[in-house]
């Protein structure tokens, strides 16, 4: 049943994407080249609508508890409408942010998705979030939505990284026996893989904010479904799963603070930009980031079954590797090398 749902979503996405591309041109949802873009011709965006429609059509027959599962779909619909509006009209940041918060509020308040507490090793037994539980959950959802959106800078990048994250989530859900999370994840995987047939380099269509926001929303929600109200160790698992987009977003903020730029300012110094500047081709850069995302996914699975001390060692090792990698490729800037300088290494141009 699970594999069947994935295949149905995959075939639907392959069928629907060309029609969505034509609709994007008619509605004016196109992406024009500029100094920050890596493409050189006008491209249709809003391709994420094909991902959503494939997911929606495939998912409907599996809705056995309509009242319980409806908030997920309504929140997704809000995200899709915001994404489509942005792809067509290029919305300002404020309405996009408000739309994301609205979608998060729907799944949190109506759907009951809250991280209310975590169990901490070595310290107190339980840390109750109390009145902060709703803001913390909303912050997580909105942050992941924007993290996926930020890495959507190369053909197939956001779709591939999202698929790898969803494969990890589906695998861990199956191990835990959570068929609902596994089902939703696999349907989105099928929908995204079908879209990637047209979106991988050289792309014929972009997912746009319609796709990036939707994938970010689904990943944020599913990553909490199986790991809320658990140990600190388990709460770190979704952070590791999303290591690539979270790291890129975190160091983008650091970069803008260091360079005295507004945090919301756009730039051309994200992970994929840095790798291309180092001489990697478009396709090589995407495949390298896929490999990084897969490593984070594997680490998350290992982490889930590690002892407390093993988990702490794994996290420490991951953080050191990330920091060295960031300094080597100049993700913050070429002068940001505190760890390399401490280790007496120099970054070669």
């Amino acid at each position: 049943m699970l594999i069947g749902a994935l295949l149905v979503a995959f075939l639907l996405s392959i069928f629907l994407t060309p029609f969505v591309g034509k609709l994007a041109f008619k509605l004016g949802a196109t992406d024009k080249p500029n100094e920050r873009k890596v493409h050189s011709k006008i491209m249709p965006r809003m391709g994420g609508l094909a991902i959503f429609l494939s997911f929606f059509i495939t998912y409907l027959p599996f809705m056995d508890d309509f009242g319980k599962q409806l908030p997920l779909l309504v929140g997704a619909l809000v995200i899709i409408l915001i994404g489509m509006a942005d792809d067509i009209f290029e919305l300002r940041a404020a309405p996009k942010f408000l739309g994301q918060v609205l979608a998060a509020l729907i799944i949190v308040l109506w759907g009951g998705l809250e991280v209310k507490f975590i169990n901490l090793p070595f310290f107190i037994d339980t840390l109750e979030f109390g009145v902060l539980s709703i803001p913390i959950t909303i912050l997580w959802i909105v942050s992941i939505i924007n993290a996926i959106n930020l890495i959507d800078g190369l053909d197939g990048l956001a779709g591939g990284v999202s698929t790898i994250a969803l494969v990890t989530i589906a695998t861990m859900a199956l191990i835990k026996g959570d068929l609902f999370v596994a089902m939703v994840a696999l349907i989105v995987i099928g929908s995204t893989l079908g879209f990637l047939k047209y979106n991988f380099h050289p792309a014929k269509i972009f997912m746009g904010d319609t796709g990036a926001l939707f994938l970010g929303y689904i990943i944020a929600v599913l990553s909490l479904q199986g790991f809320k109200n658990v140990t600190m160790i388990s709460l770190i698992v979704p952070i590791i799963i999303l290591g690539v987009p979270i790291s890129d977003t975190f160091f983008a903020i650091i970069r803008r603070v260091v360079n005295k730029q507004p945090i919301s300012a756009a730039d051309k110094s994200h992970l994929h930009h840095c790798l291309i500047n180092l001489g990697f081709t478009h396709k090589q850069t995407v495949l390298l980031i896929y490999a990084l995302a897969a490593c984070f996914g594997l680490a998350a699975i290992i982490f889930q079954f590690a002892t407390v001390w093993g988990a702490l060692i794994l996290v420490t090792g991951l953080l050191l590797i990330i920091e060295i990698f960031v300094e080597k490729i100049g993700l913050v800037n070429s002068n940001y090398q505190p760890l390399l300088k401490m280790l007496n290494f120099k970054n070669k141009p």
Side-chain angles (χ1 to χ4, degrees), residues 164-303:
I164 292 167
L166 287 163
V167 167
T168 306
I169 291 170
T171 301
M172 299 181 74
L174 289 171
I175 292 172
K176 294 166 68 70
D178 193 332
L179 293 181
F180 170 74
V181 170
M183 172 68 74
V184 174
L186 286 169
I187 293 174
V188 180
I189 288 168
S191 302
T192 309
L193 287 175
F195 174 75
L196 280 172
K197 179 182 184 299
Y198 304 94
N199 182 239
F200 195 75
H201 186 70
K204 300 178 180 66
I205 184 172
F206 295 155
M207 68 168 60
D209 273 25
T210 308
L213 299 186
F214 171 67
L215 289 175
Y217 167 80
I218 287 292
I219 290 170
V221 171
L222 293 184
S223 65
L224 286 184
Q225 286 281 358
F227 304 109
K228 62 177 182 176
N229 301 337
V230 286
T231 65
M232 183 67 175
I233 299 301
S234 295
L235 191 63
I236 294 173
V237 168
I239 298 175
I240 298 176
I241 292 172
L242 296 162
V244 169
I246 288 175
S247 298
D248 192 29
T249 303
F250 174 77
F251 284 103
I253 295 172
I254 298 297
R255 179 173 62 251
R256 287 157 192 171
V257 171
V258 169
N259 297 332
K260 298 180 180 179
Q261 296 175 332
I263 291 178
S264 60
D267 60 26
K268 203 171 182 179
S269 300
H270 286 284
L271 174 60
H272 50 279
H273 295 126
C274 291
L275 292 174
I276 286 178
N277 291 339
L278 288 174
F280 291 97
T281 66
H282 191 125
K283 188 175 292 187
Q284 287 172 339
T285 297
V286 172
L287 292 175
L288 178 56
I289 296 176
Y290 282 2
L292 291 172
C295 289
F296 276 109
L298 181 60
I301 293 173
I302 295 172
F303 186 88

Side-chain angles (χ1 to χ4, degrees), residues 94-148:
K96 285 175 61 176
F97 176 75
L98 290 175
Q100 294 167 17
V101 172
L102 176 59
L105 282 169
I106 289 171
I107 191 65
V108 171
L109 298 181
W110 184 12
L113 181 67
E114 276 185 69
V115 180
K116 295 182 179 179
F117 64 86
I118 55 173
N119 295 320
L120 297 173
F122 308 123
F123 303 103
I124 58 178
D125 287 338
T126 302
L127 176 62
E128 299 277 355
F129 290 131
V131 295
L132 294 177
S133 63
I134 290 178
I136 287 173
T137 308
I138 291 172
L139 177 63
W140 168 265
I141 295 172
V142 172
S143 296
I144 299 305
I145 288 173
N146 284 285
I148 298 298

